């Protein structure tokens, strides 16, 4: 039993049981079979289930591995990226020998090694408006392991429109969140977060970092919820948000009620079909886009200015820990937050050309908008950030 808006709602199993378990499967899943709440019927439901994991990264890694070990009969993987060395600190489904390989193929091989009885379906493409409905329609349950807001809203809206439940998780540094969104029985993601945060307000894991083992903590919660939904046991996290603080080692819950005015899952929705999610989430604000137009330089141009001893003031707007990993020679560290608060403006010289940079160019574009508004009309920023600089100018340096 679970509760939404104070009304008890019974959640039946998502899938019917498979016809049978083989002798080998009975041996493999014996520790499940002797749990009364799972038993033979529950394990047959898992065998008959089709679960899609969106992403084979930090959250997708433990989710795929434990879904496979649990005996979910069909696992779909949506993933278009390749394995990078920086992934290995947390994306445990991949190994060192997989660097450069397709993440989807690497994850499939690991899943088959864990459980050869699982069918794996690969969707090696970026999830977007053109494919999400077709891909989702073939599965009973979605496990969302995405790390950007545009895809999160896309996953949510597609799940609501198709009537599919999905298990959501989010991680950042030492903090994690998890919930189950199922519009038929409770709130959706938009009920919790009606609008995306302003661009640059919430840093990504690539910008702020994440404790590797946090992925296992939240990923295991996601799989637990998936099993409960598939087998029809326990009290799923429908209408509840689980918040985990790894530093304090605390879990707390927040009730999430269905928003009667929700744009997508209310009785009178304003979103009745997929929208432009990049525009909705504003990957870069309109102000930043306007500021960057005509004021973006390349790494080669910056290097030429340095070689020619141009009178520039190069500012790194990242965080101190990022600066310690890799930096551009001659850069002065002034984090983005100091510009947003206004305290950094008095440090800006009036007699030099200001050049801003961050990791990839998003944060520096936001800071550039602040400087332009403050009257520094000649300021520019480095397109591609320190990543572009390392790739083009100093390839011997690390990229995080």
């Amino acid at each position: 039993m679970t509760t939404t808006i104070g009304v008890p709602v019974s959640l039946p199993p998502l899938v019917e049981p498979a016809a049978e378990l083989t002798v080998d499967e009975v041996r493999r899943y014996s520790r499940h079979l002797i749990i009364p709440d799972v038993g033979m019927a529950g394990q047959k439901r898992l065998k008959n289930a089709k679960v899609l994991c969106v992403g084979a990264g930090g959250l997708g890694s433990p989710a795929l591995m434990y879904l496979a070990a649990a005996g979910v009969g069909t696992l779909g993987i949506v993933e278009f990226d390749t394995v990078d060395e920086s992934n290995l600190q947390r994306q445990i489904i991949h190994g060192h020998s997989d660097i450069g390989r397709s993440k989807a193929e690497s994850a499939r091989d690991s899943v088959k090694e864990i459980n050869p009885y699982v069918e794996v379906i690969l969707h090696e493409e970026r999830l977007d408006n053109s494919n999400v409905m077709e891909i989702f329609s073939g599965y009973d349950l979605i496990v969302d392991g995405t790390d950007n807001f545009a895809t999160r809203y896309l996953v949510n809206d597609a799940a609501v429109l198709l009537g599919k439940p999905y298990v959501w998780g989010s991680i950042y540094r030492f903090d994690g969140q998890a919930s189950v969104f199922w519009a038929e029985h409770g709130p959706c993601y938009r009920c919790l977060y009606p609008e995306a945060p302003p661009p640059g307000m919430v840093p990504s894991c690539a910008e702020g970092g994440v404790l590797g083992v946090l992925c296992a903590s939240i990923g295991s919660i996601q799989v637990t919820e998936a099993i409960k939904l598939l087998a029809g046991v326990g009290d799923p996290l429908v209408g509840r948000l689980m918040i985990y603080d790894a530093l304090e080692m605390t879990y707390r819950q927040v009730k999430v009620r269905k928003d009667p005015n929700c744009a997508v899952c209310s009785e009178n929705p304003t979103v009745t079909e997929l929208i432009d999610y990049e525009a909705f989430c504003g990957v870069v604000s309109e102000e930043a886009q306007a500021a960057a137009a005509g004021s973006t330089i390349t790494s080669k141009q910056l290097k030429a200015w340095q070689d020619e001893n141009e009178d520039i003031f190069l500012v790194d707007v990242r965080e101190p820990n990022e600066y310690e990993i890799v930096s551009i020679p001659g850069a002065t560290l002034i984090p983005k937050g100091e510009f947003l608060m206004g305290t950094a403006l008095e440090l800006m010289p009036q007699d030099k050309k200001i050049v801003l940079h961050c990791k990839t160019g998003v944060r520096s574009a936001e800071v550039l908008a602040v400087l332009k508004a403050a009257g520094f009309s000649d300021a520019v920023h480095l397109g591609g950030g320190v990543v572009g600089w390392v790739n083009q100018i100093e390839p011997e340096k690390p990229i995080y």
Side-chain angles (χ1 to χ4, degrees):
M1 302 287 286
T2 190
T3 302
T4 57
I5 324 182
V7 180
V9 178
S10 177
L11 296 182
L14 271 179
V15 295
E16 294 299 317
E20 63 178 3
L21 297 181
T22 67
V23 173
D24 290 337
E25 288 172 331
V26 169
R27 283 197 293 262
R28 176 177 287 265
Y29 306 127
S30 62
R31 297 305 185 271
H32 273 178
L33 299 179
I34 59 177
I35 301 175
D37 288 342
V38 180
M40 186 66 76
Q43 193 63 50
K44 287 180 178 179
R45 294 185 195 278
L46 294 181
K47 179 178 179 178
N48 205 30
K50 297 180 179 180
V51 175
L52 178 71
C53 279
V54 183
L59 292 174
S61 289
L64 285 164
M65 295 170 76
Y66 271 105
L67 287 168
V72 172
T74 302
L75 285 177
I77 304 173
V78 180
E79 181 60 76
F80 65 92
D81 203 0
T82 56
V83 179
D84 182 80
E85 190 171 9
S86 66
N87 301 149
L88 303 182
Q89 161 259 9
R90 63 201 177 282
Q91 299 179 19
I92 58 171
I93 203 167
H94 314 295
H96 188 80
S97 62
D98 295 314
I99 293 175
R101 288 187 67 200
S102 155
K103 280 188 181 180
E105 294 180 2
S106 170
R108 175 201 59 201
D109 292 350
S110 295
V111 165
K112 297 300 287 186
E113 181 65 23
I114 292 170
N115 191 343
Y117 304 123
V118 174
E119 179 185 0
V120 182
I121 301 173
L122 301 187
H123 304 277
E124 294 190 77
E125 52 192 314
R126 183 188 294 272
L127 196 68
D128 58 28
N129 290 28
S130 69
N131 58 25
V132 64
M133 301 296 276
E134 181 180 357
I135 292 175
F136 278 19
S137 63
Y139 295 90
D140 304 302
L141 176 68
I142 315 299
V143 175
D144 182 15
T146 57
D147 62 356
N148 68 86
F149 288 102
T151 309
R152 287 174 184 170
Y153 282 97
L154 169 66
V155 168
N156 178 79
D157 292 0
V160 172
L161 293 173
L162 290 169
K164 304 276 185 181
Y166 76 98
V167 185
W168 171 79
S170 176
I171 50 176
Y172 178 68
R173 291 186 175 171
F174 295 94
D175 301 313
Q177 300 180 359
S179 189
V180 172
F181 297 114
W182 195 356
E184 183 179 344
H185 297 290
C188 75
Y189 181 76
R190 282 182 184 261
C191 296
L192 177 62
Y193 298 114
E195 296 182 359
M201 182 65 69
V202 180
S204 66
C205 291
E207 295 174 345
V210 61
L211 184 69
V213 72
L214 184 69
C215 301
S217 300
I218 300 303
S220 66
I221 291 176
Q222 289 183 281
V223 175
T224 302
E225 293 305 301
I227 291 173
K228 287 158 60 178
L229 289 166
L230 295 168
V233 299
D235 186 9
L237 281 174
V238 176
R240 293 181 291 149
L241 175 67
M242 179 70 73
I243 302 173
Y244 172 53
D245 183 334
L247 286 180
E248 298 293 333
M249 193 49 68
T250 57
Y251 289 88
R252 63 188 180 94
Q253 294 184 42
V254 176
K255 288 185 178 180
V256 181
R257 299 193 179 277
K258 196 174 184 70
D259 182 357
N261 299 311
C262 178
V264 70
C265 78
S266 65
E267 292 185 1
N268 299 296
T270 56
V271 176
T272 57
E273 59 184 16
L274 302 179
I275 63 173
D276 184 338
Y277 294 93
E278 294 287 346
F280 174 73
C281 294
V283 177
V284 179
S285 70
E286 292 182 3
E287 293 81 5
Q289 293 181 44
S295 297
T296 301
I297 65 169
T298 65
S299 296
K300 291 182 178 179
Q301 188 173 353
L302 173 59
K303 183 64 167 63
W305 284 355
Q306 291 180 328
D307 292 343
E308 295 165 4
N309 295 317
E310 289 284 339
D311 200 11
I312 64 173
F313 185 56
L314 181 60
V315 183
D316 187 333
V317 303
R318 298 174 300 155
E319 297 300 311
N321 54 318
E322 295 178 272
Y323 184 85
E324 291 179 5
I325 298 172
V326 60
S327 62
I328 297 177
T332 298
L333 177 66
I334 306 178
K336 171 188 169 184
E338 296 185 24
F339 286 93
L340 299 182
M341 292 186 294
T343 56
L345 295 178
E346 63 185 24
L347 303 176
M348 297 298 103
Q350 300 288 339
D351 57 346
K352 296 182 179 181
K353 178 181 283 292
I354 299 171
V355 180
L356 307 166
H357 87 80
C358 61
K359 181 179 180 179
T360 61
V362 175
R363 284 174 284 178
S364 59
E366 299 289 346
V367 173
L368 182 63
V370 174
L371 286 185
K372 296 274 190 181
F376 294 90
S377 58
D378 293 334
V380 297
H381 88 123
L382 178 63
V386 72
V387 172
W389 173 272
V390 170
N391 284 332
Q392 296 184 38
I393 308 300
E394 297 185 277
E396 72 281 359
K397 286 189 172 182
I399 295 178
Y400 61 102

